[in-house]
Amino acid sequence: ELGSLPGSTSSSGAIIPFQERSRMSGAMISTSFPFRGLAQILGLTWMDGVTQLTESGCQRLSRTTVKLLAKHDFVYLPLCVDRVEPVERQCAMERIDQHLLKPLTEHLAQLGEFRCLVAVDDRPSSTIPFVALGTGLPSHPAVRLTSEAVANTPLTFPDGTAAFTWLTGNPGVR
C-alpha cells in the first residue's frame, strides 16, 4: 500500500509525507478506518467513500473523485468487492467499470495532468487488481475488469518503489 512502499520512511524511521515523497498533492476516498488513519499519516486529504458498490454508489465515487482531482494531483480509491457468488462479484466489477471508471476516464481528460489509482480488493479471488488512470501513463488495456483479465496485462513491477515511480511519473521519487 501507499504507506509501506520502500522509501516511505526516513533513515530515522519517520514517515515521509506523500507530497514530500512524490511532489504531488493527494487525496484518498475510503470507508475504511485504517485507510483514514493512513491518509492522515501520509498527509492526504480524506473523503468518505461508499459502503455499497451499487450503480448510484459508483456514480457518487466518480463525482467525488472528479472534485478531488480538480484540487489534487493524485487520488487513491481503494475498493472492496466482498461478494462470494461469482456472478455477484462480476456484476460489482462491471458497475465499477461502467459507472466509475468510464465516466472518470471521459471527464479526467479535461483536467490536464492527473493520476488516479483505483485498487479493487477482490477478496474471494485473493487478488487486488488495480486501474491507474493518468496523463502520460502507458496503456495496458484489459478487455474486462476482472482479476484474471487485469492479471494478464503485461504490466508488472519488481518492487513497490518501481510501481510508485511508474504511477507518480516521477523518476526522482524516493
Side-chain angles (χ1 to χ4, degrees), residues 26-156:
M28 183 184 299
I29 305 170
S30 177
T31 58
S32 166
F33 184 73
F35 275 120
R36 186 176 190 166
L38 177 63
Q40 184 177 13
I41 289 169
L42 294 175
L44 299 171
T45 297
W46 167 265
M47 291 292 292
D48 199 22
V50 298
T51 56
Q52 300 277 325
L53 293 173
T54 60
E55 183 176 327
S56 62
C58 289
Q59 290 168 344
R60 181 177 150 224
L61 286 173
S62 180
R63 288 189 302 270
T64 302
T65 304
V66 167
K67 287 178 187 174
L68 286 171
L69 283 168
K71 299 176 185 176
H72 298 283
D73 305 307
F74 176 86
V75 172
Y76 180 47
L77 181 55
L79 302 176
C80 179
V81 176
D82 57 2
R83 304 289 184 187
V84 176
E85 163 61 38
V87 173
E88 290 178 9
R89 284 186 15 240
Q90 185 57 41
C91 288
M93 296 293 257
E94 288 177 5
R95 283 191 298 272
I96 292 167
D97 190 28
Q98 290 299 309
H99 301 289
L100 173 62
L101 298 176
K102 184 178 179 186
L104 270 178
T105 303
E106 292 168 354
H107 182 82
L108 294 178
Q110 304 167 20
L111 292 179
E113 296 286 325
F114 70 92
R115 291 286 190 271
C116 179
L117 177 64
V118 181
V120 183
D121 182 352
D122 187 7
R123 294 191 179 198
S125 71
S126 300
T127 61
I128 303 180
F130 69 90
V131 177
L133 307 170
T135 311
L137 291 179
S139 178
H140 297 282
V143 176
R144 299 186 77 177
L145 183 61
T146 64
S147 299
E148 297 79 19
V150 173
N152 288 326
T153 65
L155 185 60
T156 61

Side-chain angles (χ1 to χ4, degrees), residues 3-32:
S4 61
L5 293 171
S8 62
T9 58
S10 67
S11 57
S12 68
I15 293 177
I16 301 169
F18 177 80
Q19 188 163 8
E20 182 180 332
R21 199 175 47 191
S22 67
R23 295 185 214 95
M24 301 172 85
S25 66
M28 183 184 299
I29 305 170
S30 177
T31 58
S32 166

